[in-house]
Amino acid sequence: MRNTGILYSSTERKPVVLPELAELLPPLSGEQMVALETDLLRNGCYSPIIVNEDLAIVDGHNRQRLCEEHSLPYQMAVFAFEDLLEAKQWALDTQKGRRNLDKWELGKIALKLKPEIEAKAKANMSAGGGDQKSEDAKSGLTMLSNPISAINTRKDLAESVGIGEVTMGKVMQIDEHAPAAVKEALDKKELSINQGYNLTRQLQEVPEEQREQAAIAAVEIEKAKKEIRRKDAEIDQRSRIAGLFCKAFEKAVLLEPIEENVRIWVECTRMTPEEMEDTVRESEKLAEIFAKVARIIREQIIPSDWRGAGRGAGNAETEEQPEKGEHDECE
């Protein structure tokens, strides 16, 4: 690939849209498309559309389409590619840095490259004297000293998009054998590749006429399990946070910060003058933290009808306070 340095404006030439390039990457979300359109209308198309030497768009399909819809001028930068496979690979590598593509999306892109990758591997194999030798190889005219080994499609596809070979194998199995419901759940990010692969294997044992309905039910079960795991993780996180606060207060209330006790602490821990200065700063920081905790509880958590009510002895609020030990997250 190389930049030819040639620039065309949309008033001079019109680019060509090839479906296999335009549909290589997943479409932008509605939110992303609105953001792109807003930016183009506000600032114009300041980045050129990348085209090959035949003026087929390689990168910038969405920008080009929006510019045409709104009659906005744009420029096209001409890049030279060895073939369409190199153009697709370059577009993918460029977009991977801009988009948050997950492994399932990358795997699906790799499958779109599969015919060309296999064809190129076979051509290289033939040129190197493989199973189907080229005329040059047969005549001994080839300059390749190490004939290329048998084609490993899964490995080549995985490397083309930057995912693991095992993951690529699972994507290939899902693509070939999974019911539509499993693929749809993967597209919606409701399942991981591992979950999709495991469901695909399990559903192979279900009679074909029942497989799609069984897949729908299985996906719903996996989604429910995922939600349970999410809630469990949230509870664990809340418990950890509550535990930290409980421990901080339990230790703090044991302190009696009179001069004699502070001197004992300083002397017994053999604090240097530098460490004492650090301790002063850390103590002041801790004081700020506890003061902030007090403000949050007083101003944002205690119900407004509690504030300023005096909270006299025997009032209803006192009776409603939980007894010590009721806060399970602190135990």
Side-chain angles (χ1 to χ4, degrees):
M1 182 277 297
R2 65 183 176 84
N3 186 345
T4 66
I6 299 172
L7 277 175
Y8 292 119
S9 72
S10 55
T11 57
E12 297 174 306
R13 302 284 185 90
K14 291 298 178 185
V16 177
V17 177
L18 296 181
E20 58 187 304
L21 282 168
E23 298 168 8
L24 177 65
L25 299 169
L28 295 179
S29 67
E31 184 179 342
Q32 290 171 324
M33 191 65 76
V34 168
L36 177 60
E37 185 173 23
T38 300
D39 181 60
L40 286 171
L41 291 173
R42 180 182 297 127
N43 303 307
C45 189
Y46 44 83
S47 295
I49 309 301
I50 306 301
V51 297
N52 66 10
E53 291 178 297
D54 295 324
L55 295 190
I57 299 176
V58 177
D59 182 58
H61 291 89
N62 293 305
R63 283 182 289 128
Q64 188 268 343
R65 181 174 61 80
L66 288 171
C67 284
E68 291 290 347
E69 286 180 6
H70 295 286
S71 300
L72 298 173
Y74 56 90
Q75 289 191 314
M76 292 169 282
V78 180
F79 280 41
F81 298 95
E82 180 182 340
D83 50 30
L84 273 180
L85 177 58
E86 186 184 39
K88 291 176 182 179
Q89 190 72 63
W90 182 86
L92 171 61
D93 293 342
T94 301
Q95 286 294 331
K96 276 173 67 176
R98 301 174 187 169
R99 298 204 204 178
N100 186 25
L101 300 175
D102 62 27
K103 291 181 180 180
W104 170 246
E105 290 171 321
L106 291 170
K108 287 175 65 180
I109 292 170
L111 291 176
K112 293 179 181 178
L113 302 177
K114 184 180 178 183
E116 290 163 298
I117 287 177
E118 286 182 331
K120 190 167 187 176
K122 288 177 182 177
N124 289 341
M125 189 175 177
S126 177
D131 292 338
Q132 299 179 9
K133 295 182 180 179
S134 66
E135 289 302 315
D136 285 346
K138 290 176 182 176
S139 64
L141 297 176
T142 178
M143 300 300 291
L144 295 176
S145 57
N146 296 311
I148 295 173
S149 60
I151 300 166
N152 185 343
T153 301
R154 188 174 73 176
K155 181 174 182 292
D156 291 342
L157 291 176
E159 289 178 349
S160 72
V161 295
I163 62 177
E165 187 177 344
V166 173
T167 300
M168 188 67 235
K170 291 179 179 180
V171 171
M172 294 170 74
Q173 289 296 314
I174 293 168
D175 179 70
E176 186 174 353
H177 301 293
V182 173
K183 295 178 182 178
E184 183 180 345
L186 281 159
D187 289 340
K188 293 179 178 179
K189 306 184 190 299
E190 294 171 344
L191 295 178
S192 67
I193 288 178
N194 282 336
Q195 289 173 315
Y197 174 71
N198 290 334
L199 284 181
T200 301
R201 292 182 61 189
Q202 294 164 14
L203 290 164
Q204 286 298 297
E205 301 175 5
V206 178
E208 188 172 352
E209 63 275 11
Q210 301 173 16
R211 196 169 297 161
E212 193 62 48
Q213 196 61 37
I216 294 171
V219 167
E220 289 303 316
I221 291 172
E222 287 299 322
K223 287 162 61 176
K225 289 179 179 177
K226 182 178 180 181
E227 181 63 14
I228 290 170
R229 288 193 295 269
R230 185 192 67 78
K231 289 182 177 179
D232 285 346
E234 182 181 338
I235 290 170
D236 289 343
Q237 175 67 5
R238 287 171 60 85
S239 296
R240 283 193 292 270
I241 293 171
L244 283 174
F245 273 76
C246 289
K247 288 175 183 177
F249 272 85
E250 286 168 5
K251 300 299 181 184
V253 296
L254 294 176
L255 296 177
E256 188 180 357
I258 60 176
E259 181 181 350
E260 179 184 358
N261 291 344
V262 174
R263 282 186 179 276
I264 291 172
W265 176 41
V266 170
E267 291 169 3
C268 288
T269 55
R270 296 182 173 85
M271 283 191 195
T272 65
E274 291 80 9
E275 289 172 336
M276 283 187 252
E277 289 294 335
D278 289 341
T279 302
V280 168
R281 286 190 290 271
E282 290 170 0
S283 298
E284 291 171 344
K285 184 66 176 177
L286 286 170
E288 292 175 8
I289 291 172
F290 278 99
K292 186 173 183 180
V293 170
R295 284 197 303 273
I296 291 172
I297 292 175
R298 182 188 304 115
E299 298 171 8
Q300 297 173 244
I301 297 178
I302 295 177
S304 58
D305 58 326
W306 287 16
R307 288 196 295 269
R311 300 200 60 188
N315 64 17
E317 291 90 339
T318 303
E319 295 176 2
E320 293 172 1
Q321 294 308 299
E323 295 180 5
K324 186 175 182 181
E326 280 188 34
H327 297 289
D328 294 338
E329 291 174 325
C330 294
E331 293 179 354

